Amino acid sequence: MNKDTEMIKISGEVDAIQHKNTDTGFAVIILLWENKLIKVVGDLGDVEEGEDITCTGNFTSHRVYGEQFRCYACERSLPTTRANMIKYLAGGSFDGIDLRVAKKIVNRFGEETFDIIENECERLTEIEGIGDKRAAKISEKFKKTFAVRSLINALSRYELPTSVAIRSWKCWGDDAEKCIEANPYILTKEEIDVTFERADAIALKLDLPRDSEMRVSAGIDCVLRRYSMNGHTAAPLPALEQECCTFLDIGKELFAKVLEAKSEEEAVYFYNKGQDIYVMTADMYRAEDYIARRLSIMSEISYDSEIDFSEVIDLAEEENGIEYEETQRRAINLALSKGFLVLTGGPGTGKTTTLNAILSLYEQQGLAVMLAAPTGKAAKRLSDLTEHEARTIHRLLEVKPLEGSKISFIHNENDPLECDVLIIDEMSMVDSALFEAVLRAISVNCKLVLVGDSDQLPSVGAGNVLRDIIESGVMPVVTLTEIFRQAQQSTIVTTAHKIVHGEQPDLTDRSGDFIFMQRNTYESIQELTAELCRKRLPTAMGFDPLTDIQVLSSTKQGPAGTAELNRVLQEQLNPKASGKPEITTPYGIFRKGDRVMQTRNDYDILWKKIDDENNTEEGAGIFNGDIGVITAANKILRTLTIDFDGRVAVYTMDMLINLELAYAITVHKSQGSEFEAVILTLPEGYEMLSYRNLLYTGVTRAKRLLVVISSVQQFRKMVDNDRRTLRYTCLKEMLTENK
């Protein structure tokens, strides 16, 4: 049912609460309406049993839950009958008020109960068992709840959901309504996250002028945020001007005036790249400026730069029975003699061998070394390859969540990491903001080794840090290019190197570990993918479809995209069965045994890890891209237990919005991971996703087998298309300036 059709109002008493999230306002309740009980779902706020509410929305039919009312706006009133007043007070929101105490309060004060709680809370001490502190606490909670309820009702006039009212109250408290009506565009700030279009509609209702500077300022922020979401840390001034003037329907003079004012307030910064002017948000400017200045300082610190460590490397070769090729020796020498190093190269070029040599020699020097990677999978892989503990960057720095989507870290300039060397793998995935945080958390004389493949996709977040550092020339860079003999036997490796150099691989050769299977339609790609997972690869090569095989796609959308592939693969690889518990949610069906992925950083999810010696580690935080397996589903409590590579977390219903099936994932989400067998689907029709480094990234995820399902035309087009993901950044130029 569409939100814009058949909108009606229903009023009734809240009979029961089935689920509610007080942070977001989402709730599922049973409402007594016209002498019958109906289910209502939506943003209802911190609703309580016994309340009288009016809901605006429509009736829908859910395929599992049946008929329910979807509420888009909720108006709430305090209960008026004694029975409902007791029910409301005893509903659980007021600490220390159970059913017995609630009855005493209402019996004593009657219709004046809520007025006394709000304005004469000291009179609550007339009730046996309630002291001064408890009375004040009850009143404070009531006032907060009443204030939020009033704000919810006020903002419902503008069809704003309850979650917006809750976030607004957290930002501006009792002044929230006045602030919003004075400038509705403050709702577009990141902590509140209302669309500019919605704020514009509210401003129109309030008769605010379309050429107001606060509107233009918010519009500029909105456009800059779009740039950031697309990976850019900066916007070319002419392009920004054109987009903003078109988006806001304003003239260039007004745009220039407001932008200049924002610059004077240091809300945005101008940066000159030669003859071109770029505009950066304050956060992005400070991040890239800090990176440039900090790396410049580190480059000036004197280490053992005059020492030749050739003899040390010779001894390492004898001890390890390895003969390093000349480029590897140069990388090892630089790592020992310089303050920092970038080590880059494609698959099979000896990055791991070189890194292990560097790590071993650092330890021989008595240096304390820490290892990190951007994702859990990448950190685990780094641990396996080096036989040293590696942590995610977030775990290493220790996250301290802030309001909205922003975070800070415990380790910074005031509490740096206790290490002499920091090694970061999969550096191509690290964005500007995260790398700024890394540099703030290490001392200036800490050695830094950055390992990565700049030919892979850049970070999901804004920035192109690894490539900017390499191209700036401020750090010693060693690029490994020689494919070692063992790696040459892998057609996955040789195919990857051909792709990155723009050479077309032989798609007819099926003698190695790379197999191309031509399919020209979405449906045939989907059908073959399912058959390979369910039958052909397990039968022919012994791969476990649930643990060894990972399906990758260039897109989420369409019959060959991850969403539809996950539905099909779940049905075939982990079908519904007696004794196999599952939970049906608005976001899909989750079943014991399903492979799932977290789609958004959540710093509050608690997890527990027990090692082979029964030692227990506890922590918090499951991050975007983490993949796990559902080990239990409790249908009564409606919870899922998920094992993320040994970190076991329990998910409640409200947490499942950030969880999705992971039998198939996008190439972007696969970065930093390796899988025994990869099935890479490349459907036609997605021009924005048909470029070389996306294909290269997908190919290099496979360890033992790679099957590419696509048309020959699509594959060849992707090899030929060297249009790298365009990133507007200023880091390279800032680094060059600070050399």
Side-chain angles (χ1 to χ4, degrees):
M1 188 78 67
N2 190 292
K3 176 184 173 181
D4 298 322
T5 61
E6 300 183 38
M7 298 286 282
I8 61 171
K9 284 190 175 185
I10 62 171
S11 299
E13 174 197 328
V14 179
D15 183 75
I17 310 290
Q18 290 193 331
H19 166 77
K20 71 175 177 180
N21 183 325
T22 53
D23 289 330
T24 64
F26 180 81
V28 180
I29 68 169
I30 302 299
L31 187 73
L32 179 60
W33 172 65
E34 295 185 350
N35 294 319
K36 63 180 179 181
L37 297 174
I38 63 168
K39 181 177 289 188
V40 177
V41 300
D43 289 329
L44 305 172
D46 193 12
V47 67
E48 295 294 344
E49 292 181 7
E51 282 194 72
D52 294 321
I53 64 173
T54 298
C55 299
T56 301
N58 48 44
F59 283 98
T60 64
S61 181
H62 192 278
R63 61 188 179 89
V64 175
Y65 300 122
E67 187 178 63
Q68 55 189 25
F69 189 85
R70 184 66 172 89
C71 176
Y72 296 101
C74 176
E75 301 169 44
R76 300 165 62 186
S77 305
L78 287 171
T80 54
T81 68
R82 289 193 172 219
N84 284 345
M85 291 167 76
I86 292 169
K87 197 174 183 181
Y88 173 74
L89 289 175
S93 284
F94 301 94
D95 290 339
I97 299 184
D98 56 17
L99 183 61
R100 181 180 59 84
V101 175
K103 285 180 178 178
K104 285 184 178 181
I105 293 173
V106 175
N107 288 339
R108 181 63 174 264
F109 301 119
E111 295 177 358
E112 296 180 327
T113 294
F114 295 134
D115 184 59
I116 285 171
I117 291 175
E118 183 178 8
N119 301 308
E120 300 177 69
C121 68
E122 66 278 0
R123 290 192 59 190
L124 289 174
T125 59
E126 297 173 19
I127 306 298
E128 183 183 354
I130 298 181
D132 291 338
K133 287 185 178 179
R134 193 170 166 193
K137 204 170 182 180
I138 292 169
S139 181
E140 182 183 348
K141 171 65 177 178
F142 180 84
K143 287 177 180 177
K144 176 183 174 182
T145 303
F146 191 80
V148 174
R149 177 189 290 115
S150 297
L151 184 60
I152 290 169
N153 288 341
L155 297 189
S156 69
R157 298 196 304 267
Y158 309 116
E159 297 185 352
L160 289 171
T162 298
S163 55
V164 169
I166 293 172
R167 292 195 293 267
S168 299
W169 193 87
K170 286 180 179 178
C171 275
W172 303 296
D174 294 340
D175 294 327
E177 185 178 355
K178 290 180 182 177
C179 291
I180 292 167
E181 292 195 340
N183 179 8
Y185 297 102
I186 60 174
L187 292 168
T188 63
K189 66 185 291 188
E190 191 174 357
E191 292 87 341
I192 310 299
D193 200 27
V194 169
T195 65
F196 183 86
E197 290 76 13
R198 176 65 65 86
D200 225 10
I202 296 170
L204 194 61
K205 288 183 178 180
L206 295 170
D207 294 325
L208 296 176
R210 304 281 289 171
D211 60 353
S212 68
E213 293 189 12
M214 61 187 179
R215 177 177 183 267
V216 176
S217 177
I220 292 171
D221 290 339
C222 179
V223 174
L224 285 172
R225 198 150 51 235
R226 289 180 193 167
Y227 271 88
S228 180
M229 290 173 65
N230 287 321
H232 308 292
T233 61
L237 179 56
L240 180 67
E241 178 186 73
Q242 183 178 351
E243 288 185 48
C244 287
C245 290
T246 301
F247 178 57
L248 298 169
D249 191 21
I250 59 172
K252 293 181 180 180
E253 298 79 9
L254 179 57
F255 166 79
K257 177 184 177 183
V258 174
L259 188 66
E260 186 62 38
K262 290 175 74 66
S263 173
E264 291 173 1
E265 296 166 2
E266 297 187 344
V268 300
Y269 286 79
F270 295 111
Y271 187 82
N272 294 335
K273 292 171 64 171
Q275 301 299 314
D276 300 321
I277 300 174
Y278 283 76
V279 181
M280 307 178 75
T281 64
D283 287 346
M284 287 294 97
Y285 175 81
R286 288 167 188 157
E288 296 200 335
D289 178 63
Y290 182 84
I291 293 169
R293 288 187 291 106
R294 184 61 187 275
L295 291 184
S296 175
I297 293 170
M298 292 175 70
S299 68
E300 293 171 1
I301 294 176
S302 176
Y303 293 92
D304 303 318
S305 56
E306 303 303 320
I307 299 177
D308 185 352
F309 286 89
S310 295
E311 291 185 9
V312 175
I313 299 170
D314 291 340
L315 288 172
E317 286 183 327
E318 288 181 23
E319 290 177 6
N320 298 323
I322 296 173
E323 185 177 342
Y324 302 114
E325 59 97 16
E326 191 56 39
T327 313
Q328 290 178 305
R329 290 180 65 91
R330 187 160 66 87
I332 298 167
N333 208 332
L334 285 168
L336 298 175
S337 62
K338 299 291 185 183
F340 44 70
L341 169 73
V342 174
L343 179 63
T344 184
T349 56
K351 285 201 304 291
T352 301
T353 301
T354 308
L355 182 58
N356 277 327
I358 292 169
L359 186 55
S360 174
L361 292 172
Y362 276 149
E363 290 183 329
Q364 287 181 28
Q365 292 180 338
L367 300 177
V369 184
M370 288 185 175
L371 289 85
T375 66
K377 283 282 188 183
K380 184 177 186 303
R381 178 170 168 267
L382 183 59
S383 294
D384 293 342
L385 293 173
T386 62
E387 297 183 352
H388 286 71
E389 181 191 12
R391 285 175 279 179
T392 64
I393 295 173
H394 286 81
R395 285 188 64 202
L396 187 74
L397 302 184
E398 297 186 59
V399 172
K400 184 169 63 177
L402 302 175
E403 285 294 329
S405 60
K406 293 186 176 181
I407 59 169
S408 65
F409 295 98
I410 290 174
H411 291 291
N412 52 32
E413 302 97 319
N414 301 318
D415 185 10
L417 295 167
E418 296 182 1
C419 63
D420 303 309
V421 181
L422 177 62
I423 298 173
I424 301 178
D425 196 16
E426 295 290 351
M427 188 61 200
S428 64
M429 300 175 65
V430 178
D431 60 48
S432 295
L434 186 56
F435 192 54
E436 176 200 9
V438 168
L439 293 178
R440 289 186 182 278
I442 59 175
S443 61
V444 290
N445 58 357
C446 176
K447 292 193 174 190
L448 187 63
V449 177
L450 308 178
V451 185
D453 185 346
S454 61
D455 290 313
Q456 290 186 23
L457 293 168
S459 57
V460 174
N464 205 357
V465 176
L466 180 61
R467 179 158 289 279
D468 283 345
I469 290 175
I470 291 172
E471 293 183 351
S472 71
V474 298
M475 292 177 72
V477 177
V478 175
T479 303
L480 303 176
T481 57
E482 181 179 332
I483 306 175
F484 286 88
R485 186 180 304 165
Q486 185 177 356
Q488 288 175 359
Q489 298 171 7
S490 167
T491 49
I492 295 174
V493 171
T494 55
T495 297
H497 282 272
K498 285 181 180 179
I499 289 169
V500 86
H501 290 105
E503 301 173 21
Q504 294 291 347
D506 181 0
L507 300 182
T508 63
D509 182 6
R510 294 193 176 188
S511 61
D513 49 16
F514 164 60
I515 299 171
F516 179 83
M517 303 183 78
Q518 175 156 322
R519 293 295 185 274
N520 296 322
T521 66
Y522 298 146
E523 291 73 16
S524 61
I525 291 175
Q526 182 191 108
E527 184 180 335
L528 178 57
T529 301
E531 184 184 350
L532 287 168
C533 289
R534 185 188 74 253
K535 183 178 180 182
R536 292 171 65 170
L537 294 186
T539 301
M541 305 187 70
F543 288 120
D544 185 325
L546 293 177
T547 59
D548 295 334
I549 303 171
Q550 181 63 62
V551 176
L552 304 181
S553 178
S554 55
T555 179
K556 286 185 175 183
Q557 309 303 321
T562 57
E564 186 62 16
L565 284 172
N566 271 317
R567 184 191 65 78
V568 172
L569 292 171
Q570 183 191 44
E571 288 178 358
Q572 300 202 21
L573 302 180
N574 191 30
K576 184 180 181 69
S578 176
K580 186 187 291 183
E582 63 180 43
I583 295 178
T584 302
T585 77
Y587 326 113
I589 298 172
F590 295 104
R591 187 174 294 140
K592 181 180 178 180
D594 277 338
R595 182 191 293 168
V596 291
M597 180 174 63
Q598 179 77 8
T599 60
R600 186 176 181 180
N601 291 344
D602 191 323
Y603 307 99
D604 297 324
I605 297 178
L606 301 176
W607 53 262
K608 183 181 290 188
K609 186 175 185 177
I610 302 175
D611 64 20
D612 295 336
E613 297 177 1
N614 219 30
N615 297 313
T616 300
E617 178 188 359
E618 295 184 356
I622 300 294
F623 302 113
N624 184 5
D626 284 354
I627 294 177
V629 175
I630 297 174
T631 58
N634 190 314
K635 299 180 73 171
I636 297 174
L637 298 177
R638 299 187 66 72
T639 60
L640 298 176
T641 303
I642 306 173
D643 185 339
F644 293 94
D645 285 324
R647 292 173 298 143
V648 179
V650 176
Y651 276 57
T652 54
M653 280 290 289
D654 57 299
M655 296 154 67
L656 300 183
I657 191 171
N658 297 322
L659 197 71
E660 63 183 33
L661 294 173
Y663 296 101
I665 63 176
T666 63
V667 173
H668 284 82
K669 290 287 189 183
S670 73
Q671 276 188 275
S673 300
E674 273 192 339
F675 309 96
E676 293 296 311
V678 166
I679 300 172
L680 176 59
T681 67
L682 304 172
E684 293 183 330
Y686 299 92
E687 297 305 313
M688 296 295 291
L689 298 169
S690 297
Y691 48 91
R692 184 186 297 170
N693 61 340
L694 185 144
L695 172 60
Y696 173 76
T697 302
V699 167
T700 54
R701 299 310 90 203
K703 290 171 67 175
R704 291 172 51 199
L705 178 69
L706 169 68
V707 180
V708 175
I709 307 175
S710 182
S711 69
V712 172
Q713 178 185 1
Q714 174 67 9
F715 187 93
R716 298 206 183 287
K717 180 170 68 175
M718 292 183 75
V719 173
D720 289 338
N721 184 5
D722 194 24
R723 180 191 61 80
R724 291 184 177 274
T725 307
L726 177 65
R727 291 279 166 109
Y728 293 124
T729 70
C730 296
L731 179 58
K732 175 185 171 182
E733 288 73 20
M734 290 179 177
L735 287 165
T736 304
E737 278 183 11
N738 281 277
K739 282 179 67 173

